[in-house]
Coordinates of all heavy atoms in Angstrom, one line a residue:
A7 N 0.8 -1.3 0.0 CA 0.0 0.0 -0.1 C 0.9 1.3 0.0 O 0.5 2.3 -0.6 CB -0.9 0.0 1.2
K8 N 2.0 1.3 0.8 CA 3.0 2.4 0.8 C 3.6 2.6 -0.7 O 3.7 3.7 -1.1 CB 4.0 2.0 1.7 CG 3.5 2.2 3.2 CD 4.4 1.3 4.2 CE 5.7 2.0 4.4 NZ 5.6 3.0 5.5
R9 N 3.8 1.4 -1.4 CA 4.4 1.5 -2.7 C 3.4 2.1 -3.6 O 3.7 3.0 -4.5 CB 4.8 0.1 -3.2 CG 6.0 -0.4 -2.5 CD 6.6 -1.6 -3.2 NE 5.8 -2.7 -3.4 CZ 5.6 -3.7 -2.5 NH1 6.4 -3.7 -1.3 NH2 4.9 -4.8 -2.6
L10 N 2.1 1.8 -3.5 CA 1.0 2.3 -4.3 C 0.9 3.8 -4.1 O 0.9 4.5 -5.3 CB -0.3 1.5 -4.0 CG -1.6 2.0 -4.8 CD1 -1.4 1.8 -6.3 CD2 -2.8 1.3 -4.3
F11 N 0.7 4.3 -3.0 CA 0.7 5.7 -2.7 C 1.8 6.4 -3.2 O 1.8 7.6 -3.8 CB 0.3 5.9 -1.3 CG -1.1 6.0 -0.8 CD1 -1.7 5.2 0.0 CD2 -2.0 6.8 -1.6 CE1 -3.0 5.3 0.3 CE2 -3.5 6.9 -1.2 CZ -3.8 6.0 -0.2
A12 N 3.0 5.8 -3.0 CA 4.3 6.5 -3.4 C 4.4 6.7 -4.9 O 4.8 7.7 -5.3 CB 5.5 5.7 -2.9
E13 N 3.9 5.7 -5.7 CA 3.9 5.8 -7.1 C 3.0 7.0 -7.5 O 3.3 7.7 -8.3 CB 3.6 4.4 -7.7 CG 3.7 4.5 -9.2 CD 3.2 3.2 -10.0 OE1 2.6 2.4 -9.3 OE2 3.3 3.2 -11.2
I14 N 1.9 7.0 -6.9 CA 0.9 8.0 -7.3 C 1.3 9.4 -7.0 O 1.2 10.3 -7.8 CB -0.5 7.6 -6.6 CG1 -1.2 6.5 -7.3 CG2 -1.6 8.9 -6.7 CD1 -2.4 5.9 -6.6
L15 N 1.9 9.5 -5.9 CA 2.3 10.9 -5.3 C 3.7 11.3 -5.9 O 4.1 12.4 -5.9 CB 2.4 10.9 -3.8 CG 1.0 10.7 -3.2 CD1 1.1 10.7 -1.6 CD2 0.0 11.9 -3.5
G16 N 4.6 10.3 -6.3 CA 5.8 10.5 -6.8 C 6.8 10.6 -5.7 O 7.9 11.1 -6.0
C17 N 6.6 10.1 -4.6 CA 7.6 10.2 -3.4 C 8.1 8.6 -3.3 O 8.0 7.9 -4.1 CB 7.0 10.7 -2.1 SG 5.5 9.8 -1.5
K18 N 8.7 8.4 -2.2 CA 9.4 7.0 -1.8 C 8.6 6.4 -0.7 O 7.8 7.0 0.1 CB 10.8 7.4 -1.1 CG 11.7 8.1 -1.9 CD 13.0 8.5 -1.0 CE 13.9 9.3 -1.8 NZ 15.2 9.7 -0.9
P19 N 8.4 5.0 -1.1 CA 7.6 4.3 -0.1 C 7.8 4.5 1.3 O 6.9 4.5 2.2 CB 7.8 2.8 -0.6 CG 8.3 2.9 -2.0 CD 9.1 4.2 -2.0
E20 N 9.1 4.7 1.8 CA 9.5 4.8 3.2 C 8.9 6.2 3.6 O 9.1 6.4 5.0 CB 11.0 4.6 3.4 CG 11.8 5.5 2.5 CD 12.3 5.0 1.2 OE1 11.5 4.1 0.7 OE2 13.4 5.3 0.8
Q21 N 8.5 7.0 2.8 CA 8.0 8.3 3.3 C 6.5 8.4 3.4 O 5.9 9.3 3.8 CB 8.4 9.4 2.3 CG 9.8 9.7 2.1 CD 10.1 10.7 1.0 OE1 9.6 10.5 -0.1 NE2 11.0 11.7 1.2
V22 N 5.9 7.2 3.3 CA 4.4 7.1 3.4 C 3.9 6.3 4.6 O 4.4 5.2 4.9 CB 3.8 6.3 2.1 CG1 2.4 6.2 2.2 CG2 4.3 7.1 0.7
F23 N 3.0 6.8 5.1 CA 2.1 6.3 6.3 C 0.8 6.0 5.8 O 0.1 7.0 5.4 CB 2.2 7.0 7.5 CG 1.5 6.4 8.7 CD1 2.3 5.9 9.7 CD2 0.0 6.5 8.9 CE1 1.7 5.3 10.8 CE2 -0.4 5.8 9.9 CZ 0.4 5.2 10.9
V24 N 0.2 4.7 5.8 CA -1.1 4.5 5.3 C -2.1 4.4 6.5 O -1.9 3.6 7.4 CB -1.1 3.2 4.4 CG1 -2.5 2.9 3.8 CG2 0.0 3.1 3.4
G25 N -3.2 5.1 6.3 CA -4.2 5.1 7.4 C -5.5 4.5 7.0 O -5.5 3.6 6.1
G26 N -6.6 5.1 7.7 CA -7.9 4.5 7.3 C -8.6 5.2 6.2 O -7.9 5.6 5.3
N27 N -9.9 5.2 6.2 CA -10.7 5.8 5.1 C -10.7 7.4 5.0 O -11.1 7.8 3.9 CB -12.0 5.4 5.1 CG -12.9 6.1 6.2 OD1 -12.6 6.1 7.3 ND2 -13.9 6.8 5.8
A28 N -10.1 8.1 6.0 CA -10.2 9.5 5.9 C -8.9 10.2 6.1 O -8.4 10.2 7.1 CB -11.3 10.0 7.0
S29 N -8.4 10.9 5.0 CA -7.3 11.7 5.2 C -7.5 12.9 6.1 O -6.6 13.4 6.8 CB -6.9 12.3 3.8 OG -7.9 13.0 3.2
L30 N -8.8 13.4 6.3 CA -9.0 14.3 7.2 C -8.6 14.0 8.6 O -8.2 14.7 9.5 CB -10.5 14.9 7.1 CG -10.9 16.1 8.1 CD1 -10.2 17.3 7.6 CD2 -12.4 16.2 8.0
Q31 N -8.8 12.7 9.0 CA -8.5 12.3 10.3 C -6.9 12.3 10.5 O -6.5 12.7 11.5 CB -8.9 10.8 10.4 CG -8.6 10.1 11.8 CD -8.8 8.7 11.8 OE1 -8.9 8.0 10.8 NE2 -8.9 8.1 13.0
L32 N -6.2 12.0 9.5 CA -4.7 12.0 9.6 C -4.3 13.6 9.6 O -3.4 13.9 10.3 CB -4.1 11.4 8.3 CG -4.4 9.9 8.1 CD1 -3.6 9.5 7.0 CD2 -3.8 9.2 9.4
M33 N -5.0 14.5 9.0 CA -4.7 15.9 9.1 C -5.0 16.5 10.4 O -4.1 17.1 11.1 CB -5.5 16.7 8.0 CG -5.0 16.5 6.6 SD -6.0 17.4 5.5 CE -6.9 16.2 4.5
Y34 N -6.2 16.0 10.9 CA -6.5 16.5 12.4 C -5.4 15.9 13.4 O -5.0 16.7 14.2 CB -7.9 16.0 12.6 CG -8.3 16.2 14.1 CD1 -9.2 17.5 14.2 CD2 -7.9 15.7 15.3 CE1 -9.5 17.9 15.5 CE2 -8.4 16.1 16.5 CZ -9.2 17.2 16.6 OH -9.6 17.6 17.9
D35 N -5.0 14.7 13.2 CA -4.2 14.1 14.1 C -2.7 14.7 14.0 O -2.0 14.8 15.0 CB -4.0 12.6 13.9 CG -3.5 11.7 15.0 OD1 -4.0 11.9 16.1 OD2 -2.4 11.1 14.8
T36 N -2.4 15.2 12.8 CA -1.0 15.8 12.7 C -1.0 17.2 13.5 O -0.1 17.5 14.2 CB -0.7 16.1 11.2 OG1 -0.7 14.8 10.6 CG2 0.7 16.8 11.1
I37 N -2.2 17.9 13.3 CA -2.3 19.1 14.0 C -2.4 18.9 15.6 O -1.8 19.6 16.4 CB -3.6 19.9 13.6 CG1 -3.4 20.4 12.1 CG2 -3.9 21.2 14.4 CD1 -2.4 21.4 11.7
S38 N -3.1 17.9 15.9 CA -3.2 17.5 17.3 C -1.9 17.2 17.9 O -1.6 17.5 19.1 CB -4.3 16.3 17.4 OG -4.4 16.0 18.9
K39 N -1.0 16.3 17.2 CA 0.2 16.0 17.7 C 1.1 17.3 17.9 O 1.8 17.4 18.9 CB 0.9 15.1 16.7 CG 0.2 13.8 16.6 CD 0.5 12.9 17.8 CE 0.1 11.4 17.6 NZ -1.4 11.2 17.5
A40 N 0.9 18.2 16.9 CA 1.7 19.4 17.1 C 1.3 20.2 18.3 O 2.1 20.9 19.1 CB 1.5 20.2 15.8
Y41 N 0.0 20.1 18.7 CA -0.6 20.9 19.8 C -0.1 20.2 21.1 O 0.1 20.9 22.1 CB -2.0 21.0 19.6 CG -2.7 21.8 20.7 CD1 -2.7 23.2 20.5 CD2 -3.3 21.2 21.8 CE1 -3.4 24.0 21.3 CE2 -4.0 22.1 22.6 CZ -4.1 23.4 22.5 OH -4.7 24.3 23.4
T42 N -0.2 18.9 21.1 CA 0.0 18.3 22.4 C 1.4 17.9 22.7 O 1.9 17.9 23.9 CB -0.9 17.0 22.5 OG1 -0.6 16.1 21.4 CG2 -2.3 17.3 22.6
H43 N 2.2 17.6 21.6 CA 3.6 17.2 21.8 C 4.7 18.0 21.1 O 5.8 18.0 21.4 CB 3.7 15.6 21.3 CG 3.1 14.6 22.1 ND1 1.6 14.5 22.1 CD2 3.6 13.8 23.0 CE1 1.4 13.6 22.8 NE2 2.3 13.1 23.5
G44 N 4.1 18.8 20.1 CA 5.1 19.6 19.3 C 5.4 18.7 18.1 O 5.3 17.4 18.1
L45 N 6.0 19.4 17.1 CA 6.6 18.6 16.0 C 8.1 18.3 16.0 O 8.8 18.7 17.2 CB 6.3 19.3 14.6 CG 4.9 19.7 14.3 CD1 4.7 20.6 13.1 CD2 4.1 18.4 14.0
L46 N 8.7 17.7 15.2 CA 10.1 17.2 15.2 C 11.0 18.5 15.6 O 11.9 18.4 16.4 CB 10.6 16.7 14.0 CG 12.0 16.3 13.8 CD1 12.3 15.1 14.8 CD2 12.2 15.8 12.3
R47 N 10.8 19.6 15.1 CA 11.6 20.8 15.3 C 11.0 21.9 16.2 O 11.5 23.0 16.3 CB 11.9 21.5 13.9 CG 12.7 20.6 13.0 CD 13.1 21.3 11.7 NE 13.8 20.4 10.8 CZ 15.2 20.2 10.8 NH1 15.9 20.9 11.9 NH2 15.8 19.3 10.1
S48 N 10.0 21.5 17.0 CA 9.3 22.4 17.9 C 10.2 22.6 19.2 O 10.8 21.6 19.7 CB 7.9 21.8 18.3 OG 7.1 21.8 17.3
E49 N 10.2 23.9 19.5 CA 10.8 24.1 20.9 C 10.0 23.7 22.0 O 10.5 23.3 23.2 CB 11.1 25.6 20.9 CG 12.1 26.2 19.8 CD 12.2 27.7 19.8 OE1 11.4 28.3 20.4 OE2 13.2 28.2 19.3
R50 N 8.7 23.7 21.8 CA 7.7 23.3 22.9 C 6.4 22.9 22.1 O 6.2 23.3 21.0 CB 7.5 24.3 23.8 CG 7.1 25.7 23.3 CD 7.1 26.7 24.3 NE 6.9 28.1 23.8 CZ 8.0 28.8 23.3 NH1 9.3 28.4 23.6 NH2 7.8 30.1 22.8
P51 N 5.4 22.2 22.9 CA 4.2 21.8 22.2 C 3.5 23.2 21.9 O 3.7 24.1 22.6 CB 3.5 21.1 23.3 CG 4.6 20.5 24.1 CD 5.6 21.5 24.1
W52 N 2.7 23.2 20.9 CA 1.9 24.3 20.5 C 1.0 24.9 21.6 O 0.6 26.0 21.6 CB 1.3 24.1 19.2 CG 2.2 24.1 18.0 CD1 3.6 24.1 18.0 CD2 1.8 23.9 16.5 NE1 4.1 24.0 16.7 CE2 3.1 23.9 15.8 CE3 0.6 23.9 15.8 CZ2 3.1 23.7 14.4 CZ3 0.6 23.7 14.5 CH2 1.9 23.6 13.8
C53 N 0.4 24.0 22.4 CA -0.4 24.3 23.3 C 0.3 25.2 24.5 O -0.4 25.9 25.1 CB -1.1 23.1 24.1 SG 0.2 22.1 25.0
K54 N 1.6 25.2 24.4 CA 2.3 26.1 25.4 C 2.8 27.4 24.7 O 3.4 28.2 25.5 CB 3.6 25.4 25.9 CG 3.2 24.1 26.8 CD 4.4 23.6 27.5 CE 3.9 22.3 28.2 NZ 3.1 22.6 29.3

């Protein structure tokens, strides 16, 4: 499934995470993770 999406998007399979039926859920979760934990380069969680 990672290879399929990677071919469609033009990226590498190791860059792909495959979820459920809703990309909106993944988008929400990405924002939520930034809010509660921060992103890779965050100095602190966005909630702070």
Side-chain angles (χ1 to χ4, degrees):
K8 291 156 72 84
R9 291 193 297 268
L10 176 63
F11 270 124
E13 185 185 10
I14 290 171
L15 296 175
C17 62
K18 302 173 185 175
E20 55 268 29
Q21 295 175 313
V22 175
F23 184 103
V24 186
N27 74 298
S29 58
L30 185 66
Q31 179 187 25
L32 297 178
M33 288 182 247
Y34 182 95
D35 199 54
T36 302
I37 298 293
S38 179
K39 293 285 190 291
Y41 188 78
T42 56
H43 292 74
L45 297 172
L46 180 64
R47 296 183 179 277
S48 295
E49 297 171 345
R50 53 187 171 267
W52 289 5
C53 63
K54 296 187 181 297

